[in-house]
């Protein structure tokens, strides 16, 4: 059974930093490309970042480039998203998912990130 469990979301002030994590199980994580997707209330899902199975390639949506960093630890079957210089528009529920932009499946439950002063 595929399981993706996100954690680390919190309330943070604009300009602050936060790291969300995802622990995976039930599938060969080390052979699977992974992504972060976010969704704000009333809006559709927005692809945030992707990382290849071996961590060699990463991609970011333009609005996140330079502020967010995706990484993974295959020995721990974990995916991470380090977020810096957070903006109110970053407020959303953040999900990890298998695959890349345009080809995602098996989203987790998500972790809420709220950026507000």
């Amino acid at each position: 059974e595929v399981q993706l469990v996100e954690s680390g979301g919190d309330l943070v002030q604009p300009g602050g930093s936060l790291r969300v994590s995802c622990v995976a199980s039930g599938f060969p994580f080390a052979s699977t490309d992974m992504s972060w997707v976010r969704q704000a209330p009333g809006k559709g899902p927005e692809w945030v970042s992707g990382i290849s199975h071996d961590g060699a390639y990463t991609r970011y949506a333009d609005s996140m480039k330079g502020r967010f960093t995706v990484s993974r630890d295959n020995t721990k079957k974990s995916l991470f998203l380090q977020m810096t210089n957070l903006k109110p528009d970053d407020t959303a529920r953040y999900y990890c998912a298998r695959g890349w932009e345009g080809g995602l499946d098996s989203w987790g439950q998500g972790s809420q990130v709220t950026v507000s002063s």
Side-chain angles (χ1 to χ4, degrees), residues 60-113:
Y60 302 89
D62 288 343
S63 62
M64 274 69 80
K65 194 172 299 182
R67 299 190 298 121
F68 292 6
T69 302
V70 64
S71 61
R72 65 192 297 161
D73 184 341
N74 284 347
T75 64
K76 298 180 179 179
K77 297 183 178 181
S78 296
L79 182 73
F80 307 97
L81 183 68
Q82 179 68 49
M83 301 178 285
T84 62
N85 192 24
L86 284 162
K87 305 174 181 180
D89 284 349
D90 294 321
T91 296
R93 194 163 187 87
Y94 285 72
Y95 303 86
C96 60
R98 302 196 300 178
W100 283 78
E101 180 183 19
L104 305 174
D105 68 12
S106 300
W107 292 27
Q109 297 300 305
S111 187
Q112 181 66 38
V113 174

